[in-house]
Amino acid sequence: MQLKSRDAIERSLIATKYIKSTTKGNATAVIAVTASILEKEKAIVLSTGCDHFRYKPFAEHTIFDALAKHLGVSYIFAETRSLILDNSAENAFTSQNLTCMSSEWITQLYEAAIEANTNLVLQLDRRNSRNRTSPSTSFGENCASI
């Protein structure tokens, strides 16, 4: 539950008491999340049946940790693969690689980079893939073949 205002806090506490009063509800984990609450109010929130309490902002893993603690579960996270860059001089990417690209495409790439919009950068790269000479080339690396 998110505790956003005094009224929301009161409604949430009533709901928590109701949930915890049932047989199934007693086994339900309730985690209170709020941006601001006094320490004495935290004790009241926990005394109504909330199992855990989190202040905002919080790191995502703290909610998963609380759920794991109260539900007795463990999580299996997908492995992330780090990008391995080939930094050899022969594969260096420079502005020369973009000389054959349209000014419109370069402007869009520039704007996507300024906005740190990875999805748009990848979309622009896919759009350019129609002109690639091999699957491994990227952006303007195949200008000579166009």
Side-chain angles (χ1 to χ4, degrees):
M1 82 176 86
Q2 290 194 37
L3 309 177
K4 294 183 178 186
S5 68
R6 295 282 165 229
D7 190 41
I9 291 171
E10 289 177 28
R11 286 192 315 257
S12 298
L13 297 180
I14 291 168
T16 301
K17 285 181 183 178
Y18 175 77
I19 291 168
K20 291 295 188 167
S21 71
T22 67
T23 305
K24 285 185 179 180
N26 196 34
T28 302
V30 178
I31 300 171
V33 179
T34 185
S36 110
I37 195 167
L38 300 174
E39 195 62 32
K40 67 179 182 176
E41 291 173 326
K42 177 181 175 183
I44 294 169
V45 168
L46 292 173
S47 72
T48 63
C50 290
D51 299 289
H52 202 85
F53 190 89
R54 275 279 139 226
Y55 287 107
K56 290 181 189 175
F58 56 86
E60 184 179 88
H61 71 87
T62 61
I63 293 295
F64 286 109
D65 291 346
L67 289 170
K69 174 183 173 185
H70 295 287
L71 299 178
V73 297
S74 60
Y75 300 97
I76 300 172
F77 295 96
E79 289 185 35
T80 56
R81 297 181 193 158
S82 61
L83 181 63
I84 300 172
L85 299 175
D86 182 357
N87 291 330
S88 64
E90 65 190 45
N91 290 326
F93 186 83
T94 67
S95 60
Q96 284 299 114
N97 297 96
L98 300 175
T99 57
C100 68
M101 304 307 294
S102 72
S103 59
E104 176 189 359
W105 187 91
I106 291 172
T107 300
Q108 290 175 339
L109 178 64
Y110 174 80
E111 290 172 358
I114 291 294
E115 296 171 5
N117 187 337
T118 307
N119 290 332
L120 182 55
V121 170
L122 294 173
Q123 182 181 2
L124 289 166
D125 185 39
R126 281 192 299 274
R127 189 184 320 162
N128 183 48
S129 68
R130 291 176 285 220
N131 299 324
R132 290 192 186 149
T133 55
S134 74
S136 63
T137 59
S138 183
F139 292 114
E141 292 179 8
N142 62 333
C143 289
S145 66
I146 296 178

